[in-house]
Amino acid sequence: MLFLARMDVQFPAHLSAEDVTRMQGLEKEYSQALQQDGRLASIWRVVGEYANYSVFDVESNDELHQILSSFPMYPFMKIKVTPLAKHPNSIR
């Protein structure tokens, strides 16, 4: 199942720069592992925002929820998920 997720990040003001940097490192490690195993099929930065669009290829809604809620920055994310279906005009 394919899902498009828009993830917007907003850190609270009380977090130190060191905490943010540490969390960004953990986030990078986690997202790269998901990319390597194929569950995070694609990730794109939204220009000018601390946000991204990601395409997930997973078996179920529950698996996607587990993946999203395991992101280190999850407590600071607003996430909108859109299920995707093959378009009849697609040549792929």
Side-chain angles (χ1 to χ4, degrees), residues 26-46:
L26 294 170
E27 190 86 0
K28 182 177 182 178
E29 184 179 312
Y30 181 65
S31 70
Q32 288 181 347
L34 292 170
Q35 290 172 72
Q36 289 171 346
D37 71 22
R39 293 183 291 170
L40 177 49
S42 186
I43 184 169
W44 299 92
R45 165 104 36 225
V46 178

Side-chain angles (χ1 to χ4, degrees), residues 58-79:
V58 295
E59 295 297 318
S60 67
N61 295 336
D62 291 330
E63 182 182 7
L64 180 61
H65 180 75
Q66 186 278 324
I67 288 169
L68 294 175
S69 62
S70 295
F71 273 99
M73 292 192 290
Y74 178 75
F76 313 113
M77 289 180 175
K78 178 181 170 193
I79 303 172

